[in-house]
């Protein structure tokens, strides 16, 4: 995060940060709207759908702390976690569609559609994360040729893990992520998922 002392404030820099924050909020709001539109369209096609909105999304590399998994880890509220766990237990996802936008400040807004064609069921996972936190995950997923999505409770318990066979759909331009390893840390401009534009959720 860019930090400025009161007596060292640069109006141009502060304005840039403010613009980035506004753009991030708009990007998140647009992602929520698009996710709901996708879910509505799938239901009209006859699919059963469940959409979960993450209060936090973390890119997790294999060597990250004590976690024994890697991929994108989505923190959801307790009721969403229970629904996602039950939904996952009775489905076998065989296709994935990824919808994402990169916003100002290096933010990625993502909706991952996990599809069980035989059961006619779709799990839609919606979140946002910072590109500067993802280079290690991008490298791992690109080399492995696969990707994972994990839904977790507030206490860290993973209630659903989904494997995706195509890492490129998540990271079509790996170099854009690797650039953050040498470019330094941009302004922290992701919107607060508990703010005015937040999706309904009850994270523990």
């Amino acid at each position: 995060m860019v930090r400025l002392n009161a007596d060292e404030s640069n109006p141009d820099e502060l304005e840039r940060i403010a613009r980035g924050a506004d753009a991030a909020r708009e990007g998140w709001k647009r992602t929520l709207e698009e996710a709901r539109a996708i879910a509505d369209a799938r239901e009209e096609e006859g699919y059963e759908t469940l959409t979960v909105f993450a209060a936090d999304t973390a890119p997790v590399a294999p060597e990250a702390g004590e976690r024994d998994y890697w991929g994108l880890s989505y923190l959801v509220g307790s009721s969403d976690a229970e629904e996602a766990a039950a939904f996952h237990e009775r489905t076998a996802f065989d296709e994935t569609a990824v919808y994402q936008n990169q916003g100002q400040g290096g933010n990625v807004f993502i909706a991952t559609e996990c599809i069980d064609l035989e059961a006619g069921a779709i799990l839609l996972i919606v979140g946002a994360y910072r590109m500067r936190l993802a280079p290690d995950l991008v490298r791992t997923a690109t080399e492995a040729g696969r990707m994972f999505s994990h839904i977790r409770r507030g206490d860290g318990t993973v209630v659903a893990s989904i494997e995706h066979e195509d890492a490129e759909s998540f990271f079509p331009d790996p170099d854009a992520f690797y650039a953050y390893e040498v470019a330094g840390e941009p302004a922290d401009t992701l919107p607060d998922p508990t703010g005015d534009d937040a999706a309904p959720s009850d994270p523990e």
Side-chain angles (χ1 to χ4, degrees):
M1 178 182 294
V2 176
R3 301 184 186 277
L4 298 174
N5 294 329
D7 57 351
E8 297 176 351
S9 297
N10 182 327
D12 292 337
E13 179 68 5
L14 294 176
E15 183 178 351
R16 183 187 69 79
I17 294 173
R19 286 198 305 269
D22 289 341
R25 280 191 291 270
E26 284 302 312
W28 179 238
K29 181 178 179 180
R30 184 169 59 252
T31 300
L32 296 180
E33 293 171 349
E34 291 174 352
R36 293 184 178 112
I38 292 169
D40 289 344
R42 296 295 181 259
E43 289 179 356
E44 289 181 2
E45 295 170 3
Y47 284 92
E48 176 189 4
T49 68
L50 174 64
T51 304
V52 294
F53 299 92
D56 179 73
T57 304
V60 179
E63 65 278 6
E66 299 178 354
R67 293 170 177 166
D68 58 357
Y69 61 86
W70 58 270
L72 287 176
S73 178
Y74 299 88
L75 170 65
V76 302
S78 57
S79 60
D80 282 349
E82 291 177 5
E83 287 189 83
F87 198 86
H88 181 252
E89 286 180 0
R90 58 185 178 82
T91 50
F93 301 116
D94 42 27
E95 287 193 13
T96 300
V98 180
Y99 311 89
Q100 58 184 327
N101 295 295
Q102 292 182 9
Q104 293 182 5
N107 302 318
V108 176
F109 305 95
I110 184 169
T112 304
E113 188 179 24
C114 308
I115 307 168
D116 183 336
L117 293 173
E118 183 175 351
I122 291 175
L123 173 63
L124 194 62
I125 311 171
V126 186
Y129 66 93
R130 298 172 180 85
M131 295 175 70
R132 65 179 174 82
L133 301 178
D136 288 342
L137 171 59
V138 174
R139 187 171 289 107
T140 296
T142 301
E143 292 176 354
R146 57 184 176 144
M147 181 59 181
F148 293 90
S149 296
H150 308 279
I151 299 174
R152 72 183 193 277
R153 299 178 183 273
D155 63 2
T157 302
V158 174
V159 299
S161 293
I162 301 106
E163 181 175 358
H164 314 285
E165 296 181 354
D166 182 14
E168 185 177 359
S169 60
F170 288 86
F171 311 118
D173 184 9
D175 288 340
F177 291 86
Y178 301 152
Y180 282 87
E181 294 179 311
V182 295
E185 184 175 329
D188 192 352
T189 57
L190 268 180
D192 179 357
T194 63
D196 294 339
D197 295 326
S201 185
D202 58 341
E204 295 177 334

